[in-house]
Amino acid sequence: MIRSIPRRSVLASLAAVPAALVLASCSDSGSKAEAANSEPAAPAPAAPKAEAPKPAGSVNMAKLLEPGTLPEQVLGKEDAPVTIVEYASMTCPHCAHFHEKTLPELKSKYIDTGKVRLILREFPFDPRAEAGFMLARCSKDNYFPMVEVLFKQQQNWAAVQNAKDALLQIAKLAGFSQESFEACLTDQKLLDDVRAVRERGAKDFGVDSTPTFFIDGNRYPGALSIAELSAIIDPLLS
């Protein structure tokens, strides 16, 4: 069951969320996806070649790629032969690990070479994750750089007592003023739209933990290594 986040100001919530809740936010229910990823895996070595993990289910890829309430945030070419859809939470340690350790390899090997495009969708489990995604959306063309910074700095804002001040300092380095920072985090329509992306992922595609990846219609929960991703992607390119 997906947790319902109260309709209250994200800005007002940033100093009130216990760190324990944030650190557990990769999964809402102690699911097997969370158990399988209780320790973030180190990047897999290039050899021996990994076997492709078994999918946890499948969805209609055409339906998955239909437009939602917010414009898609995409890395890679529109005509790439393989599309990966990732649902992530900004306060999820496993998501941060994937974006720090695995995404750079995925980008150089597949995205930058035109073989894969990656669509990142918001799946926040708590107000701090909502705030992180809202700031990324308010960054406009700098969405991915802002996401990257927030994941790298995750322990400095997601797990501290007062996330508002910590996020403000990061946002100022990204060009926000205090006024634009507060305007972003009190934008009710943006908050509703971010929540709608999450609700659609849960209701229509069975997402209940982060990160969750959809590749060629198959669902893979958990922070996949580059070796596992290669084992999934390479047969689709042949």
Side-chain angles (χ1 to χ4, degrees):
M1 183 69 68
I2 296 300
R3 180 188 297 116
S4 177
I5 303 174
R7 287 180 58 90
R8 60 181 177 179
S9 170
V10 165
L11 188 65
S13 303
L14 293 181
V17 181
L21 170 62
V22 174
L23 295 175
S25 65
C26 285
S27 175
D28 194 49
S29 58
S31 66
K32 66 179 181 180
E34 182 183 34
N37 290 282
S38 58
E39 293 293 336
K49 188 174 181 180
E51 291 186 5
K54 293 182 179 180
S58 62
V59 300
N60 183 301
M61 197 67 179
K63 183 178 180 182
L64 180 69
L65 295 179
E66 289 176 357
T69 58
L70 287 169
E72 298 282 32
Q73 296 295 333
V74 184
L75 291 175
K77 296 181 179 179
E78 185 71 25
D79 61 352
V82 175
T83 295
I84 299 174
V85 177
E86 176 196 2
Y87 281 89
S89 178
M90 287 304 312
T91 52
C92 170
H94 304 308
C95 299
H97 182 269
F98 173 81
H99 277 258
E100 286 188 65
K101 305 299 183 182
T102 305
L103 181 57
E105 295 182 80
L106 178 68
K107 194 171 183 296
S108 62
K109 186 175 182 180
Y110 293 105
I111 296 175
D112 292 346
T113 56
K115 298 174 182 177
V116 166
R117 68 170 177 156
L118 173 71
I119 299 172
L120 176 60
R121 290 181 181 169
E122 295 90 346
F123 201 87
F125 276 113
D126 57 80
R128 295 185 181 197
E130 291 178 333
F133 280 128
M134 291 170 74
L135 289 171
R137 285 284 178 177
C138 291
S139 299
K140 307 296 183 183
D141 293 341
N142 290 320
Y143 179 91
F144 280 103
M146 189 65 175
V147 166
E148 180 182 357
V149 168
L150 289 172
F151 274 136
K152 283 184 177 180
Q153 297 289 324
Q154 189 183 77
Q155 287 298 312
N156 296 330
W157 64 271
V160 298
Q161 185 65 32
N162 188 341
K164 177 183 175 181
D165 289 348
L167 279 174
L168 177 59
Q169 294 309 309
I170 295 172
K172 283 183 174 180
L173 293 175
F176 285 79
S177 64
Q178 180 158 350
E179 290 74 18
S180 62
F181 172 81
E182 293 184 358
C184 178
L185 296 187
T186 53
D187 184 338
Q188 186 63 47
K189 184 180 186 307
L190 177 57
L191 176 59
D192 289 343
D193 287 345
V194 167
R195 290 177 174 178
V197 173
R198 177 181 183 270
E199 290 304 315
R200 180 186 176 214
K203 293 179 180 178
D204 292 354
F205 309 120
V207 179
D208 62 3
S209 63
T210 56
T212 291
F213 301 91
F214 291 90
I215 308 173
D216 196 35
N218 290 321
R219 178 166 60 90
Y220 300 92
L224 300 174
S225 69
I226 189 61
E228 291 171 321
L229 283 166
S230 295
I232 299 169
I233 293 168
D234 287 346
L236 301 176
L237 297 172
S238 60

